[in-house]
Amino acid sequence: MIRKVCLAALLLVLAAPLVALPPPQAEGGLFARAPCPASVQSEDGVECGVLTVPENRQRAGSRMIRLPVVIFRSHASAPAPDAVVFLPGGPGGSALARPLSAKNNPFLATRDYVLLESRGAKLAQPSLGCPEINALVGVIAAGHQSGKAADTARVKAAMACRADLVAKGIDLDGYTSAETAQDIEDLRKALGYRQWNLFGLSYGTRLALTVLRDHPQGIRSVILDSVLPPEANFDEHAMANFRRALDAVFNGCAVDTVCGSMYPHLAADFTELVARADRHPLAMPGVSGSDGRSVTVRGAQVVAALYDALHAPSAIGRIPAVIEDSLDGRTTELAGLVKADQGPSSFTWGLRLSVWCAEEAPFENPSRVEQQVSLAWGLGDIDERTASPAVCRAWNVAAAAPSENVAVTSDVPVLVFAGEFDPDTPPEWGRGLIPHIPNARVVTFPGQSHGAGFNPCGAAIATAFLHDPGGSLPLDCVLKMHGTAFTT
């Protein structure tokens, strides 16, 4: 599954309690001022509210739901009329359940910056939380469930969560990308923007493309970081994408004079490390799971730790040394990576499954999805799929229209960011937009991963693009990036 979401560069904030929102409105698509749902620094220019919309626009008489909104007003004396709307990853990620601040946000120098909590997300009312699944993710990360038994446990947890949400009167069929895209369009109209700019990360790129498809009249430009296109069928490629990124590290080490000479058999040594851990779990004193029990470090836990390392550009260059040190019995650095991988999931799983099981699973080849957990990948029995076919059968939501699995076409200017070592959304997916979106430009960052543009260079390029979506881009900083320096 897609687990890492890089937001720190643009969403710096202070933790805060949720405050009660006003009662539901009588109609949909209405915005009203309300207390902020997260603490912000005591600064001017922050406005908050709530958007009230129907839970399921496809059903007459659908009840109303409430979505918190935070608006950071531009510092400019004469701001550009088109705001930036940030769409976070997931599905099931929150736009607001994190510290929020206007500091270090490069876009506020020229325009407003808007955050909308997606329907069903953590601070929305209702929220489609599944504590059973969140806890189970921590149990699996600690090595206490694996393989078929883990998927059976996922199915059981999904069934329990679904029953609980349905008993609360929640219409799970209303939580789709198309409905969220309509929420975004309703918010644009309610706030009075003639057009605005979308900035999507990971699943947020798929959502941005859905808005672009369904409501193009309101979109001036789009920035897509780590593209998840609707036609990609993620769970058919989950382990293949991971393996591609890992092989890129092995190949990068091989052509590096020092790394290649120090570790001439890196790929084979990785395979041996995983197999050895499966035969005899690695001892890592002091590393415990979310339930306090010691972590059982089998091959899957080794692989999961390296998967997480692939998301951190500063850690990618250390992967060869971590493998070789661990194979020689020096597991201190691997233990740190394993420890960082512990704990329950932070996703709102009811939203995650409603989107995924409606828009992805119906169009995927179940056989190819099952092949992604084959031991032939040499990745232990790790499962990085978002949801197995069995879990989606248990979640039992209506399949989306076939158009949700078709490439989006548009003439709107689009800027695409991709990372060389992204283990979730490979650069090829970003380049695949060009035949359908002729005004798309793709920037691949050497040495970067998921969330490739969240660095000073990416911010400079994005800012220039927003100033003139059709103009030249300051790409010198990309050419000056040295890529990954492998350490031994």
Side-chain angles (χ1 to χ4, degrees):
M1 75 186 89
I2 302 177
R3 293 188 295 179
K4 295 293 179 183
V5 182
C6 304
L7 299 179
L10 295 180
L11 298 176
L12 302 174
V13 284
L14 302 170
L18 172 65
V19 297
L21 295 175
Q25 310 267 359
E27 303 177 37
L30 296 180
F31 176 79
R33 301 295 177 190
C36 291
S39 292
V40 298
Q41 295 182 5
S42 56
E43 52 191 281
D44 295 331
V46 180
E47 301 174 13
C48 300
V50 59
L51 181 71
T52 303
V53 293
E55 185 173 45
N56 190 337
R57 294 178 177 88
Q58 309 307 310
R59 294 181 180 171
S62 178
R63 70 173 182 172
M64 311 307 290
I65 61 176
R66 294 170 292 176
L67 313 177
V69 178
V70 174
I71 307 162
F72 291 98
R73 295 298 183 184
S74 172
H75 309 317
S77 57
D82 45 274
V84 173
V85 185
F86 183 77
L87 309 178
S94 172
L96 304 181
R98 66 189 79 254
L100 298 171
S101 173
K103 289 184 178 179
N104 301 318
N105 187 322
F107 303 141
L108 292 177
T110 55
R111 49 189 29 89
D112 297 344
Y113 186 77
V114 179
L115 297 168
L116 168 68
E117 185 77 329
S118 291
R119 54 175 54 223
K122 187 173 183 179
L123 301 189
Q125 296 183 0
S127 171
L128 274 58
C130 288
E132 310 92 335
I133 301 179
N134 289 87
L136 178 60
V137 170
V139 171
I140 293 170
H144 302 148
Q145 286 270 21
S146 62
K148 294 291 185 182
D151 202 47
T152 299
R154 291 187 189 96
V155 171
K156 183 178 179 181
M159 292 175 66
C161 182
R162 186 186 193 284
D164 179 63
L165 295 177
V166 170
K168 292 176 180 177
I170 294 173
D171 183 353
L172 296 177
D173 290 335
Y175 295 83
T176 65
S177 297
E179 287 281 3
T180 301
Q182 183 63 61
D183 298 338
I184 294 168
E185 174 67 359
D186 286 351
L187 181 63
R188 180 187 67 81
K189 293 178 179 177
L191 296 182
Y193 294 106
R194 187 181 69 83
Q195 285 188 318
W196 56 13
N197 310 278
L198 304 179
F199 185 174
L201 169 66
S202 194
Y203 164 73
T205 65
R206 178 181 179 131
L207 180 56
L209 289 167
T210 304
V211 180
L212 186 59
R213 180 196 68 201
D214 293 351
H215 309 287
Q217 69 283 352
I219 308 304
R220 173 178 176 263
S221 73
V222 181
I223 301 173
L224 304 175
D225 193 324
S226 307
V227 175
L228 176 66
E231 70 275 17
N233 293 345
F234 177 85
D235 283 336
E236 292 184 9
H237 306 281
M239 302 308 287
N241 289 339
F242 177 15
R243 188 76 221 198
R244 180 208 68 85
L246 197 58
D247 287 343
V249 173
F250 298 158
N251 294 336
C253 176
V255 299
D256 181 280
T257 303
V258 177
C259 189
S261 61
M262 286 286 292
Y263 311 131
H265 309 296
L266 182 60
D269 290 346
F270 165 76
T271 300
E272 171 57 24
L273 176 63
V274 173
R276 183 181 298 180
D278 278 334
R279 291 193 301 269
H280 303 288
L282 304 180
M284 293 190 179
V287 180
S288 59
S290 54
D291 58 1
R293 291 189 290 168
S294 295
V295 174
T296 302
V297 183
R298 298 188 178 90
Q301 283 64 51
V302 172
V303 174
L306 297 181
Y307 171 77
D308 283 359
L310 277 168
H311 288 84
S314 61
I316 292 172
R318 287 291 300 163
I319 289 176
V322 170
I323 292 170
E324 298 296 337
D325 285 353
S326 300
L327 198 59
D328 290 339
R330 299 185 299 275
T331 60
T332 301
E333 195 162 0
L334 177 62
L337 294 174
V338 171
K339 185 175 182 178
D341 190 48
Q342 300 309 304
S345 169
S346 62
F347 284 119
T348 305
W349 272 92
L351 170 59
R352 190 169 176 82
L353 291 179
S354 287
V355 171
W356 209 258
C357 296
E359 300 172 16
E360 281 288 314
F363 309 105
E364 291 181 330
N365 182 320
S367 176
R368 293 193 65 179
V369 172
E370 293 296 348
Q371 288 172 7
Q372 294 303 299
V373 290
S374 169
L375 294 177
W377 289 105
L379 299 171
D381 61 3
I382 189 174
D383 186 354
E384 288 300 332
R385 300 172 301 178
T386 300
S388 70
V391 168
C392 279
R393 286 193 297 271
W395 197 248
N396 191 28
V397 289
S403 58
E404 297 298 339
N405 197 51
V406 175
V408 173
T409 60
S410 175
D411 291 327
V412 169
V414 174
L415 174 61
V416 177
F417 288 153
E420 177 186 7
F421 294 104
D422 190 336
D424 303 312
T425 55
E428 290 79 3
W429 285 2
R431 292 193 290 269
L433 298 182
I434 294 175
H436 312 286
I437 304 178
N439 289 325
R441 287 181 282 177
V442 180
V443 179
T444 301
F445 291 89
Q448 300 298 303
S449 183
H450 205 62
F454 285 83
N455 53 65
C457 181
I461 295 170
T463 301
F465 174 76
L466 289 171
H467 175 71
D468 180 6
S472 60
L473 299 175
L475 299 178
D476 286 354
C477 60
V478 179
L479 301 176
K480 293 177 182 177
M481 295 178 79
H482 297 297
T484 299
F486 293 99
T487 55
T488 57

